[in-house]
Amino acid sequence: MRLDYLSIFPAYFDVLDISLVGKAAINGLVEIHAHDLRDWTHDRHRTVDDTPCGGGAGMVMKPDPWGEAFDEIIGTESDPSVHVIFPAPSGTPFTQSAAAELSSAQRIVFCCGRYEGIDHRVIDYARSMWTVHEVSLGDYVLNGGEVAALAITEAVVRLVPGFMGNPESLAEESFSAGQDGLLEYPLFTRPVSWRGLDVPEVLMSGHHGRIASWRRDESVRLTRERRPDLTDSDSSGIH
Ligand SMILES: COc1cccc(Cn2ccc3ccc(-c4cc(N)[nH]n4)cc32)c1
């Protein structure tokens, strides 16, 4: 999997060399390439923004640098196997199933906007050439797309076959298909007693049936408490 990042702050992605994603890069599972969008400007000030047509606050990212960057980084041929991701507050909420789908992609290009966003023609052009995803991380506004791109990268790369040492652990996580759409149950490890707080006795009983039942009950309780929106979905084990 090749991952490209287009941003006016490419140094945001240096952190990928440190993290587990960096390890995947060393193992050859992923290739990471960060690019400075200003490298595709031609004026002295390396300008990437301009005032919004129709007026309004803030600045909008000009289309020209994006188009030239696309030509060089992706090419000028249409290819639906290339996934181009535009993080945006107006995007579709990013989910674990979206991460799972993207984990089989051979090529993902992250377009990290700043200011008030990117000229919409850039997204329209990308849609005419590649598979485009406009995605939101959640109902809050970040200053740009870089943090979202890092989060999406981690969610996707950890699902790439060969990345996780113990792939079975993926099946037990919150939001993974195997969990019936339920939140993960509380986790404990040694010591059994810590600052007057004890591990639930059932977990020390060695009775696998009771442990499984306790864990499911806890998942149902937590999901009902914190994510009632998940309890009505068809995939959840509770209705
Ligand atoms: C109406 O859009 C905006 C209004 C004010 C500021 C910004 C800042 N901004 C610029 C590019 C950009 C890309 C993604 C995000 C983003 C994504 C999520 N989930 N939150 N925020 C925010 C971004 C955008």
Side-chain angles (χ1 to χ4, degrees):
M1 178 185 284
R2 173 169 167 149
L3 301 171
D4 286 90
Y5 302 83
L6 259 173
S7 165
I8 58 173
F9 297 118
Y12 256 92
F13 304 100
D14 293 353
V15 70
L16 292 177
D17 296 337
I18 304 167
S19 68
L20 278 176
V21 179
K23 181 184 141 212
I26 293 165
N27 295 342
L29 273 177
V30 296
E31 259 183 71
I32 293 170
H33 301 267
H35 311 272
D36 186 345
L37 183 69
R38 294 189 195 277
D39 289 350
W40 287 277
T41 59
H42 307 289
D43 63 303
R44 189 156 59 91
H45 298 292
R46 295 165 57 97
T47 308
V48 292
D49 64 312
D50 201 342
T51 53
C53 294
M59 300 294 275
V60 175
M61 299 190 90
K62 296 162 52 70
D64 320 66
W66 290 96
E68 292 187 29
F70 286 162
D71 292 349
E72 188 171 330
I73 294 169
I74 313 177
T76 53
E77 299 295 316
S78 175
D79 181 353
S81 75
V82 176
H83 292 260
V84 181
I85 297 180
F86 293 90
S90 58
T92 303
F94 189 70
T95 62
Q96 186 68 16
S97 55
E101 282 174 36
L102 284 167
S103 68
S104 58
Q106 283 313 301
R107 187 120 200 241
I108 301 176
V109 180
F110 290 91
C111 299
C112 303
R114 279 272 157 170
Y115 306 99
E116 294 302 306
I118 303 171
D119 184 302
H120 200 74
R121 290 168 294 178
V122 173
I123 295 155
D124 287 341
Y125 173 76
R127 282 196 189 284
S128 74
M129 299 285 281
W130 307 296
T131 300
V132 167
H133 310 264
E134 293 179 77
V135 298
S136 165
L137 270 200
D139 295 338
Y140 44 84
V141 180
L142 302 166
N143 286 330
E146 289 81 4
V147 166
L150 284 169
I152 293 164
T153 297
E154 186 153 310
V156 170
V157 171
R158 66 195 301 276
L159 298 179
V160 170
F163 176 77
M164 290 293 278
N166 173 20
E168 292 77 46
S169 64
L170 293 175
E172 292 191 6
E173 292 176 343
S174 294
F175 309 107
S176 64
Q179 278 301 96
D180 279 346
L182 297 175
L183 299 183
E184 196 164 327
Y185 46 78
L187 299 172
F188 300 86
T189 185
R190 287 182 290 267
V192 172
S193 191
W194 176 74
R195 296 191 176 191
L197 300 168
D198 297 344
V199 172
E201 277 184 34
V202 64
L203 298 181
M204 308 308 292
S205 69
H207 196 295
H208 299 298
R210 288 191 198 138
I211 291 169
S213 176
W214 179 88
R215 284 173 167 173
R216 176 157 179 98
D217 291 349
E218 283 296 291
S219 287
V220 168
R221 176 182 65 79
L222 279 173
T223 307
R224 281 193 172 133
E225 258 175 43
R226 298 179 184 169
R227 291 298 302 275
D229 57 302
L230 294 179
T231 55
D232 301 334
S233 68
D234 293 342
S235 62
S236 90
I238 46 177
H239 300 286

